[in-house]
Amino acid sequence: MNRDKTAEEVKQEMIDKMGIDFGSLFYSLRNELLWLTYRWIEFRELYGTKETRIEIMNSSAPFLFYTIQNVLWENLLLGVAKVMDRPESRGKKNITFKSIPLFIKEQPFHDEIMSIFINLETESSFCRDWRNRWIAHKDHALSVDEGSAKPLEVATRLKFRTVLELMHELYNKVSLKYLGSQTAFEFLSSDRGAISLLNLLEKGLLYEQERLKKKLNGDWSQNCFQSKV
């Protein structure tokens, strides 16, 4: 009977096939990329799919969902900036996609990976700009709205999706080469996440509308305030 591998088994396979340094790095990047992808899925389901979902959130708890939108968006930008940092800073190693080419010795494959990576680095520059000048640090000129301040790079859902897809491509190229397998990131979905919440909120809003209708029709009985089981 086939079964899913445990996290330890996945890590050990990577170490066995890629060596301890490369395998450990690649396993950590896998976890970061999966977690980043799942957060993106939740953000997209809430704020980037249907206008009716925005209406549900605005009718339920507008300030809360506005806060979640900003916090989650900044967290996504930070997630990209984190794994696109230098391999080493102040003498300490980082888990970053920039380390991958350092382990690839076969020249043709190294060139192929570098081509994707250069594109990824260019496309993800807006994430680092936001991290450096607005999220992790507060640029003075931007904060006080000085006329000489350089505007932040434009950050959109489309640009973020492009970056994430390049990360998926880079990861899968390396995974196929050394592990003989790929991850179908495009088919990932969250279980009991944003969609579940929106469905519950929609039912609650419909119930509140029905209750208000009863009150307007003069039905102030206790039953009109009780949910049906």
Side-chain angles (χ1 to χ4, degrees), residues 43-51 53 157:
F43 182 86
R44 183 190 61 200
E45 294 290 9
L46 287 173
Y47 304 104
T49 304
K50 295 180 180 179
E51 188 65 31
R53 296 180 183 180
R157 291 196 303 268

Side-chain angles (χ1 to χ4, degrees), residues 34-141:
L34 282 171
W35 179 223
L36 183 65
T37 302
Y38 278 118
R39 298 202 303 277
W40 164 248
I41 290 171
E42 297 296 342
F43 182 86
R44 183 190 61 200
E45 294 290 9
L46 287 173
Y47 304 104
T49 304
K50 295 180 180 179
E51 188 65 31
T52 52
R53 296 180 183 180
I54 303 296
E55 294 171 1
I56 289 173
M57 290 185 283
N58 285 340
S59 298
S60 302
F63 181 73
L64 171 64
F65 284 109
Y66 170 76
T67 302
I68 292 173
Q69 180 180 14
N70 285 304
V71 171
L72 187 51
W73 178 242
E74 289 188 352
N75 185 265
L76 288 168
L77 300 182
L78 279 173
V80 170
K82 180 170 63 173
V83 294
M84 289 299 295
D85 266 336
R86 296 186 299 273
E88 187 175 304
S89 55
R90 296 188 177 183
K92 295 184 178 180
K93 293 182 178 179
N94 296 318
I95 296 297
T96 167
F97 277 95
K98 286 189 176 182
S99 295
I100 288 180
L102 302 177
F103 290 96
I104 300 175
K105 306 305 180 183
E106 305 94 328
Q107 195 60 48
F109 187 61
H110 182 275
D111 293 343
E112 183 180 357
I113 291 302
M114 281 303 299
S115 177
I116 301 172
F117 180 79
I118 291 171
N119 193 17
L120 172 59
E121 189 166 36
T122 300
E123 293 292 341
S124 64
S125 65
F126 74 96
C127 298
R128 296 189 297 279
D129 187 38
W130 276 73
R131 189 271 306 272
N132 294 340
R133 296 199 296 140
W134 194 254
I135 303 174
H137 307 280
K138 212 63 159 181
D139 182 80
H140 182 273

Side-chain angles (χ1 to χ4, degrees), residues 127-192:
C127 298
R128 296 189 297 279
D129 187 38
W130 276 73
R131 189 271 306 272
N132 294 340
R133 296 199 296 140
W134 194 254
I135 303 174
H137 307 280
K138 212 63 159 181
D139 182 80
H140 182 273
L142 280 171
S143 298
V144 300
D145 196 23
E146 292 182 1
S148 60
K150 177 185 176 182
L152 288 167
E153 292 187 37
V154 175
T156 66
R157 291 196 303 268
L158 179 59
K159 291 180 69 173
F160 186 88
R161 187 181 71 185
T162 298
V163 168
L164 196 58
E165 288 174 350
L166 284 169
M167 285 184 171
H168 293 164
E169 181 184 3
L170 179 58
Y171 175 90
N172 275 331
K173 288 277 187 183
V174 176
S175 181
L176 184 62
K177 173 72 173 179
Y178 294 101
L179 305 174
S181 63
Q182 294 182 314
T183 300
F185 291 101
E186 66 274 19
F187 294 116
L188 293 179
S189 61
S190 61
D191 182 37
R192 297 187 63 80

